[in-house]
Amino acid sequence: MNEPPKRPRPESILASQWRQIVNSAIDTAIISTDTEGFVTSWNRGAELILGWAEEEVLGATLERIFTEEQRAQQQLGGEMRDALQTGRGGGEEGWRLRKDGTRFWAVGELTPIRDGNKNVLGFTKILRDRTAQRQTEQTIRDEFRAIEILNRAVSALSLENDRQRVVQIVTDTGVELSGAEFGAFFYNVTNDKGESYLLYTLSGAPAEAFSKFPMPRNTEVFGPTFSGAAIVRSGDITQDPRYGHNEPYRGMPKGHLPVKSYLAVPVVSRAGAVIGGLFFGHSERDVFTDRSEQWLVGLAAEASVAIDNTLLTQELRSLNATLEQQVTERTEQLRKKEEALRQSQKMEAVGQLTGGVAHDFNNILQVISGNLDIISRGLPANSPRLNRAAQNAMAGAKRAAALTQRLLAFSRRQPLDPKPIDVNTLVSGMSDLLHRTLGETIELETVRAGRLWSAEADANELESALLNLALNARDAMPQGGRLTIETANVDLDRAYAATQTEVIPGQYVSIAVSDTGSGMNEATVSQAFEPFFTTKPVGQGTGLGLSQVYGFVKQSGGHVRIYSEVGQGTTIKIYLPRLLRKEMPGHTPDPQITPEGSLAETILVTEDDPDVRTYSVEALQELGYRVIEAADGPSSLELLETTPHVDLLFTDVVLPGGMTGAQLAAQARGRWPDLKVLFTTGYARNAIVHHGRLDPGVQLITKPFTIAELATRVREVLETDAPRDTDSSD
């Protein structure tokens, strides 16, 4: 039987539909040209990205989007030749031009258009704006470079006892960190008039550049630094109202190194005395940023510790030269305490820096991983290449999230949720996981103490810490060996606590992880807990495993110690404070399938970051909820007033405009007691986390989170009773 004839589709309809499809790609420039590169079509995305309307470019050469250098190199012609020869031209990232003459970073490719006989009719140019992604990548590279510089400086300072070399290291590091042309350290020594300071070190400039000028005086510009009152930063110090009021020069003397950008940070000792100041300059304007200032504040803290330590070292040498054996023994005790304090302060200073980096990364990762999640859920099943690419990208985002979680653990900024735990039960429950992880060449033994005290800690983080220790032990036994995990009740007395930092005498639950591996020398033990320090080959470790253990234990109020001998193995002991009150260990429910909501349930999303807010709103809508959104606390309260019923407030902890997420929740619950609240954050500050622990009754999901994690957490909060009281204190 013959099929009925099909009605032919008019070409005009096909062209119109094609035009609608192409114009819907507003984030992508789709351009067609003839065989000589003259524009024949120009979609809406091209107009938004490049600035020209279609009528302005039709019939014009596509060369106008290339820079002058690229035109000189005949970039368009090269892409056309490659497209004819290989089917694809261009594809490399580079600068392109907009109508207004500004440049943007783009990636795109050129492909030939062929008719049914494979004759070339023209070319299609696809172009995407990657300026924002490039800036994000550069920010990440800058942050890691700063951490590397600071880590190198901290390691050098910890080994240096000569004050002159200490301040030179600090000054050189400051110049490298901030991008200054030159820097100086002025030691805080006054003359009879109280206004003279000794130039101690220079970096980036010869000594002759300053030797012919008088030392800085206690002027409005220099005074805040030498008094320790404030940090002084100016995009152009010559335009600063504090500048140029003092005779005889009223500013910089003739022949002085030119300074526009200016940054000065006081260096204050542990006792609170101002040691001096770090000063940095650049001949161009607006060189120093908020991050420059933060990095140099951390560096100044390291400088004060190192300088104080040189003074302590000098005192120790003097005692050693003049006193008998009894004093020698006392001196050794002081040296050990000083070394422990120096290590603690060094870890704290680096921890503050790494915590700030982790916070910035988490917001970036939330946008990346969240949108990847949405893309993955929307990809068709018959696109294996796209699905595989999305899965690989999400795997990379998860690895980055794990890295930032380790940074937060080390910096003691992760939001812990401690519960009473039976350590023996926890260790026993990990036995199968450890057997699978360690492999057949490692013999695992657990020795659990009878009548073991209860402890209080975040069970998930404790399991992660023990797994990290087991993996390190496995790597130290490449030919196989024995790993022993032993629990015990321990009393740490005052004599032991006096030789350690941040240790309170008392009763602890001890978990010792011992291996029969290669062991560590004294120098390695002293650095083992530092972030990014590793003895493994490049690419086989981040150096964050032990630092994560250190940060978690310290944040839990405990203590961790390494005992090791080369060739004999290593024991790492974790001490968690004994829990004296009677409470049963909590139960963690099994993970469920992704729960969904309904349009009858309304959620208010409060988030100041527009990209994170967009993702959160779209994710909740996809889960079936009715969603409204706001960028700050006051706007949220207005929406709560005008919206008939809101079931859940989903808010970031840190918000702009002087109202934190905790204060917003307190005000909202004061007026709508049945309102449920779920907080989110990429960095645990003191708004809802005090002394490293979540406030009672607080529900939190940390960034970055996936749709499935968000769905589960929202459902849990909606199905629990709202707490009667909310503490609004910060």
Side-chain angles (χ1 to χ4, degrees), residues 219-225 230-235 237-246 251 262:
T219 64
E220 287 187 71
V221 172
F222 294 117
T225 307
I231 296 165
V232 179
R233 189 179 104 209
S234 176
I237 195 63
T238 63
Q239 303 301 314
D240 193 288
R242 295 168 289 188
Y243 175 83
H245 300 303
N246 299 89
Y262 174 83

PDB file of all heavy atoms in Angstrom, residues 219-225 230-235 237-246 251 262:
ATOM      1  N   THR A 219      55.363  60.985  61.253  1.00  0.00           N
ATOM      2  CA  THR A 219      54.405  61.838  60.550  1.00  0.00           C
ATOM      3  C   THR A 219      53.050  61.147  60.489  1.00  0.00           C
ATOM      4  O   THR A 219      52.882  60.014  60.947  1.00  0.00           O
ATOM      5  CB  THR A 219      54.901  62.119  59.126  1.00  0.00           C
ATOM      6  OG1 THR A 219      54.944  60.868  58.419  1.00  0.00           O
ATOM      7  CG2 THR A 219      56.292  62.734  59.138  1.00  0.00           C
ATOM      8  N   GLU A 220      52.077  61.812  59.882  1.00  0.00           N
ATOM      9  CA  GLU A 220      50.740  61.225  59.764  1.00  0.00           C
ATOM     10  C   GLU A 220      50.744  59.957  58.908  1.00  0.00           C
ATOM     11  O   GLU A 220      49.917  59.068  59.099  1.00  0.00           O
ATOM     12  CB  GLU A 220      49.773  62.244  59.163  1.00  0.00           C
ATOM     13  CG  GLU A 220      49.382  63.371  60.099  1.00  0.00           C
ATOM     14  CD  GLU A 220      48.289  64.241  59.486  1.00  0.00           C
ATOM     15  OE1 GLU A 220      47.141  63.765  59.375  1.00  0.00           O
ATOM     16  OE2 GLU A 220      48.605  65.381  59.102  1.00  0.00           O
ATOM     17  N   VAL A 221      51.682  59.890  57.942  1.00  0.00           N
ATOM     18  CA  VAL A 221      51.762  58.704  57.088  1.00  0.00           C
ATOM     19  C   VAL A 221      52.438  57.554  57.813  1.00  0.00           C
ATOM     20  O   VAL A 221      51.954  56.416  57.806  1.00  0.00           O
ATOM     21  CB  VAL A 221      52.502  59.030  55.774  1.00  0.00           C
ATOM     22  CG1 VAL A 221      52.758  57.747  54.980  1.00  0.00           C
ATOM     23  CG2 VAL A 221      51.697  60.011  54.936  1.00  0.00           C
ATOM     24  N   PHE A 222      53.589  57.836  58.468  1.00  0.00           N
ATOM     25  CA  PHE A 222      54.367  56.764  59.109  1.00  0.00           C
ATOM     26  C   PHE A 222      53.889  56.444  60.522  1.00  0.00           C
ATOM     27  O   PHE A 222      54.076  55.324  61.013  1.00  0.00           O
ATOM     28  CB  PHE A 222      55.852  57.139  59.165  1.00  0.00           C
ATOM     29  CG  PHE A 222      56.501  57.226  57.816  1.00  0.00           C
ATOM     30  CD1 PHE A 222      57.030  58.421  57.352  1.00  0.00           C
ATOM     31  CD2 PHE A 222      56.589  56.111  57.004  1.00  0.00           C
ATOM     32  CE1 PHE A 222      57.625  58.508  56.111  1.00  0.00           C
ATOM     33  CE2 PHE A 222      57.183  56.183  55.759  1.00  0.00           C
ATOM     34  CZ  PHE A 222      57.703  57.392  55.302  1.00  0.00           C
ATOM     35  N   GLY A 223      53.289  57.429  61.213  1.00  0.00           N
ATOM     36  CA  GLY A 223      52.934  57.255  62.617  1.00  0.00           C
ATOM     37  C   GLY A 223      52.076  56.042  62.912  1.00  0.00           C
ATOM     38  O   GLY A 223      52.371  55.290  63.854  1.00  0.00           O
ATOM     39  N   PRO A 224      50.973  55.780  62.159  1.00  0.00           N
ATOM     40  CA  PRO A 224      50.122  54.632  62.479  1.00  0.00           C
ATOM     41  C   PRO A 224      50.865  53.294  62.435  1.00  0.00           C
ATOM     42  O   PRO A 224      50.531  52.385  63.185  1.00  0.00           O
ATOM     43  CB  PRO A 224      49.035  54.692  61.395  1.00  0.00           C
ATOM     44  CG  PRO A 224      48.984  56.126  60.983  1.00  0.00           C
ATOM     45  CD  PRO A 224      50.397  56.615  61.075  1.00  0.00           C
ATOM     46  N   THR A 225      51.873  53.198  61.566  1.00  0.00           N
ATOM     47  CA  THR A 225      52.621  51.943  61.463  1.00  0.00           C
ATOM     48  C   THR A 225      53.536  51.761  62.656  1.00  0.00           C
ATOM     49  O   THR A 225      53.560  50.702  63.297  1.00  0.00           O
ATOM     50  CB  THR A 225      53.445  51.918  60.163  1.00  0.00           C
ATOM     51  OG1 THR A 225      52.585  52.183  59.062  1.00  0.00           O
ATOM     52  CG2 THR A 225      54.100  50.561  59.982  1.00  0.00           C
ATOM     53  N   ALA A 230      47.497  51.051  63.067  1.00  0.00           N
ATOM     54  CA  ALA A 230      46.709  50.687  61.887  1.00  0.00           C
ATOM     55  C   ALA A 230      47.615  50.318  60.725  1.00  0.00           C
ATOM     56  O   ALA A 230      48.797  50.671  60.692  1.00  0.00           O
ATOM     57  CB  ALA A 230      45.799  51.853  61.464  1.00  0.00           C
ATOM     58  N   ILE A 231      47.017  49.610  59.757  1.00  0.00           N
ATOM     59  CA  ILE A 231      47.650  49.355  58.465  1.00  0.00           C
ATOM     60  C   ILE A 231      47.341  50.558  57.573  1.00  0.00           C
ATOM     61  O   ILE A 231      46.228  51.078  57.587  1.00  0.00           O
ATOM     62  CB  ILE A 231      47.090  48.076  57.834  1.00  0.00           C
ATOM     63  CG1 ILE A 231      47.437  46.864  58.712  1.00  0.00           C
ATOM     64  CG2 ILE A 231      47.606  47.874  56.414  1.00  0.00           C
ATOM     65  CD1 ILE A 231      46.640  45.632  58.366  1.00  0.00           C
ATOM     66  N   VAL A 232      48.327  51.010  56.816  1.00  0.00           N
ATOM     67  CA  VAL A 232      48.127  52.135  55.910  1.00  0.00           C
ATOM     68  C   VAL A 232      48.279  51.620  54.486  1.00  0.00           C
ATOM     69  O   VAL A 232      49.314  51.071  54.124  1.00  0.00           O
ATOM     70  CB  VAL A 232      49.134  53.275  56.174  1.00  0.00           C
ATOM     71  CG1 VAL A 232      48.903  54.419  55.186  1.00  0.00           C
ATOM     72  CG2 VAL A 232      48.992  53.784  57.596  1.00  0.00           C
ATOM     73  N   ARG A 233      47.216  51.799  53.680  1.00  0.00           N
ATOM     74  CA  ARG A 233      47.265  51.397  52.274  1.00  0.00           C
ATOM     75  C   ARG A 233      46.666  52.507  51.434  1.00  0.00           C
ATOM     76  O   ARG A 233      45.603  53.034  51.759  1.00  0.00           O
ATOM     77  CB  ARG A 233      46.487  50.103  52.052  1.00  0.00           C
ATOM     78  CG  ARG A 233      46.669  49.520  50.654  1.00  0.00           C
ATOM     79  CD  ARG A 233      45.897  48.241  50.499  1.00  0.00           C
ATOM     80  NE  ARG A 233      44.689  48.415  49.726  1.00  0.00           N
ATOM     81  CZ  ARG A 233      43.593  47.694  49.866  1.00  0.00           C
ATOM     82  NH1 ARG A 233      43.546  46.754  50.769  1.00  0.00           N
ATOM     83  NH2 ARG A 233      42.534  47.925  49.129  1.00  0.00           N
ATOM     84  N   SER A 234      47.366  52.873  50.345  1.00  0.00           N
ATOM     85  CA  SER A 234      46.889  53.956  49.489  1.00  0.00           C
ATOM     86  C   SER A 234      47.164  53.613  48.041  1.00  0.00           C
ATOM     87  O   SER A 234      48.253  53.146  47.699  1.00  0.00           O
ATOM     88  CB  SER A 234      47.577  55.276  49.865  1.00  0.00           C
ATOM     89  OG  SER A 234      47.188  56.307  48.980  1.00  0.00           O
ATOM     90  N   GLY A 235      46.168  53.854  47.192  1.00  0.00           N
ATOM     91  CA  GLY A 235      46.356  53.647  45.755  1.00  0.00           C
ATOM     92  C   GLY A 235      47.296  54.677  45.159  1.00  0.00           C
ATOM     93  O   GLY A 235      47.979  54.412  44.170  1.00  0.00           O
ATOM     94  N   ILE A 237      49.700  57.472  47.217  1.00  0.00           N
ATOM     95  CA  ILE A 237      50.018  58.139  48.475  1.00  0.00           C
ATOM     96  C   ILE A 237      50.233  59.633  48.286  1.00  0.00           C
ATOM     97  O   ILE A 237      49.996  60.426  49.200  1.00  0.00           O
ATOM     98  CB  ILE A 237      51.276  57.486  49.126  1.00  0.00           C
ATOM     99  CG1 ILE A 237      51.404  57.917  50.589  1.00  0.00           C
ATOM    100  CG2 ILE A 237      52.516  57.784  48.341  1.00  0.00           C
ATOM    101  CD1 ILE A 237      50.270  57.483  51.471  1.00  0.00           C
ATOM    102  N   THR A 238      50.622  60.049  47.072  1.00  0.00           N
ATOM    103  CA  THR A 238      50.841  61.487  46.847  1.00  0.00           C
ATOM    104  C   THR A 238      49.531  62.269  46.850  1.00  0.00           C
ATOM    105  O   THR A 238      49.537  63.496  46.969  1.00  0.00           O
ATOM    106  CB  THR A 238      51.575  61.715  45.511  1.00  0.00           C
ATOM    107  OG1 THR A 238      50.745  61.258  44.437  1.00  0.00           O
ATOM    108  CG2 THR A 238      52.903  60.977  45.487  1.00  0.00           C
ATOM    109  N   GLN A 239      48.389  61.568  46.696  1.00  0.00           N
ATOM    110  CA  GLN A 239      47.084  62.222  46.745  1.00  0.00           C
ATOM    111  C   GLN A 239      46.390  62.012  48.089  1.00  0.00           C
ATOM    112  O   GLN A 239      45.271  62.469  48.284  1.00  0.00           O
ATOM    113  CB  GLN A 239      46.185  61.678  45.624  1.00  0.00           C
ATOM    114  CG  GLN A 239      46.761  61.828  44.227  1.00  0.00           C
ATOM    115  CD  GLN A 239      47.033  63.283  43.875  1.00  0.00           C
ATOM    116  OE1 GLN A 239      46.192  64.155  44.109  1.00  0.00           O
ATOM    117  NE2 GLN A 239      48.214  63.554  43.326  1.00  0.00           N
ATOM    118  N   ASP A 240      47.059  61.322  49.014  1.00  0.00           N
ATOM    119  CA  ASP A 240      46.475  61.043  50.326  1.00  0.00           C
ATOM    120  C   ASP A 240      46.466  62.327  51.162  1.00  0.00           C
ATOM    121  O   ASP A 240      47.444  63.076  51.177  1.00  0.00           O
ATOM    122  CB  ASP A 240      47.303  59.956  51.036  1.00  0.00           C
ATOM    123  CG  ASP A 240      46.587  59.392  52.243  1.00  0.00           C
ATOM    124  OD1 ASP A 240      46.488  60.108  53.258  1.00  0.00           O
ATOM    125  OD2 ASP A 240      46.145  58.233  52.184  1.00  0.00           O
ATOM    126  N   PRO A 241      45.375  62.641  51.875  1.00  0.00           N
ATOM    127  CA  PRO A 241      45.311  63.879  52.670  1.00  0.00           C
ATOM    128  C   PRO A 241      46.331  63.934  53.804  1.00  0.00           C
ATOM    129  O   PRO A 241      46.622  65.015  54.318  1.00  0.00           O
ATOM    130  CB  PRO A 241      43.871  63.875  53.212  1.00  0.00           C
ATOM    131  CG  PRO A 241      43.400  62.469  53.079  1.00  0.00           C
ATOM    132  CD  PRO A 241      44.104  61.893  51.896  1.00  0.00           C
ATOM    133  N   ARG A 242      46.904  62.780  54.183  1.00  0.00           N
ATOM    134  CA  ARG A 242      47.907  62.780  55.252  1.00  0.00           C
ATOM    135  C   ARG A 242      49.310  63.089  54.734  1.00  0.00           C
ATOM    136  O   ARG A 242      50.249  63.241  55.528  1.00  0.00           O
ATOM    137  CB  ARG A 242      47.927  61.402  55.945  1.00  0.00           C
ATOM    138  CG  ARG A 242      46.650  61.055  56.670  1.00  0.00           C
ATOM    139  CD  ARG A 242      46.609  59.600  57.074  1.00  0.00           C
ATOM    140  NE  ARG A 242      46.430  58.726  55.915  1.00  0.00           N
ATOM    141  CZ  ARG A 242      46.217  57.420  55.989  1.00  0.00           C
ATOM    142  NH1 ARG A 242      46.147  56.835  57.172  1.00  0.00           N
ATOM    143  NH2 ARG A 242      46.052  56.695  54.898  1.00  0.00           N
ATOM    144  N   TYR A 243      49.467  63.157  53.434  1.00  0.00           N
ATOM    145  CA  TYR A 243      50.796  63.238  52.811  1.00  0.00           C
ATOM    146  C   TYR A 243      51.228  64.695  52.590  1.00  0.00           C
ATOM    147  O   TYR A 243      50.421  65.564  52.261  1.00  0.00           O
ATOM    148  CB  TYR A 243      50.752  62.504  51.466  1.00  0.00           C
ATOM    149  CG  TYR A 243      52.013  62.584  50.638  1.00  0.00           C
ATOM    150  CD1 TYR A 243      53.071  61.729  50.869  1.00  0.00           C
ATOM    151  CD2 TYR A 243      52.128  63.525  49.616  1.00  0.00           C
ATOM    152  CE1 TYR A 243      54.216  61.791  50.095  1.00  0.00           C
ATOM    153  CE2 TYR A 243      53.270  63.595  48.841  1.00  0.00           C
ATOM    154  CZ  TYR A 243      54.321  62.723  49.084  1.00  0.00           C
ATOM    155  OH  TYR A 243      55.449  62.792  48.327  1.00  0.00           O
ATOM    156  N   GLY A 244      52.535  64.941  52.773  1.00  0.00           N
ATOM    157  CA  GLY A 244      53.134  66.202  52.339  1.00  0.00           C
ATOM    158  C   GLY A 244      52.952  67.384  53.265  1.00  0.00           C
ATOM    159  O   GLY A 244      52.987  68.533  52.808  1.00  0.00           O
ATOM    160  N   HIS A 245      52.803  67.152  54.584  1.00  0.00           N
ATOM    161  CA  HIS A 245      52.578  68.270  55.506  1.00  0.00           C
ATOM    162  C   HIS A 245      53.810  68.642  56.323  1.00  0.00           C
ATOM    163  O   HIS A 245      53.740  69.554  57.144  1.00  0.00           O
ATOM    164  CB  HIS A 245      51.431  67.929  56.474  1.00  0.00           C
ATOM    165  CG  HIS A 245      50.132  67.663  55.786  1.00  0.00           C
ATOM    166  ND1 HIS A 245      49.525  68.573  54.933  1.00  0.00           N
ATOM    167  CD2 HIS A 245      49.318  66.572  55.798  1.00  0.00           C
ATOM    168  CE1 HIS A 245      48.406  68.065  54.469  1.00  0.00           C
ATOM    169  NE2 HIS A 245      48.252  66.839  54.973  1.00  0.00           N
ATOM    170  N   ASN A 246      54.923  67.920  56.157  1.00  0.00           N
ATOM    171  CA  ASN A 246      56.068  68.124  57.043  1.00  0.00           C
ATOM    172  C   ASN A 246      57.246  68.748  56.315  1.00  0.00           C
ATOM    173  O   ASN A 246      57.595  68.354  55.199  1.00  0.00           O
ATOM    174  CB  ASN A 246      56.485  66.777  57.662  1.00  0.00           C
ATOM    175  CG  ASN A 246      55.372  66.167  58.498  1.00  0.00           C
ATOM    176  OD1 ASN A 246      54.542  65.431  57.986  1.00  0.00           O
ATOM    177  ND2 ASN A 246      55.343  66.488  59.771  1.00  0.00           N
ATOM    178  N   GLY A 251      56.816  65.922  51.548  1.00  0.00           N
ATOM    179  CA  GLY A 251      56.638  64.754  50.692  1.00  0.00           C
ATOM    180  C   GLY A 251      57.961  64.046  50.487  1.00  0.00           C
ATOM    181  O   GLY A 251      58.860  64.109  51.334  1.00  0.00           O
ATOM    182  N   TYR A 262      51.170  52.451  47.945  1.00  0.00           N
ATOM    183  CA  TYR A 262      51.878  52.404  49.220  1.00  0.00           C
ATOM    184  C   TYR A 262      51.133  51.463  50.168  1.00  0.00           C
ATOM    185  O   TYR A 262      49.910  51.487  50.260  1.00  0.00           O
ATOM    186  CB  TYR A 262      51.937  53.816  49.815  1.00  0.00           C
ATOM    187  CG  TYR A 262      52.529  53.910  51.205  1.00  0.00           C
ATOM    188  CD1 TYR A 262      53.903  53.960  51.396  1.00  0.00           C
ATOM    189  CD2 TYR A 262      51.706  53.977  52.326  1.00  0.00           C
ATOM    190  CE1 TYR A 262      54.446  54.068  52.672  1.00  0.00           C
ATOM    191  CE2 TYR A 262      52.241  54.082  53.609  1.00  0.00           C
ATOM    192  CZ  TYR A 262      53.614  54.125  53.770  1.00  0.00           C
ATOM    193  OH  TYR A 262      54.151  54.227  55.033  1.00  0.00           O
TER     194      TYR A 262
END
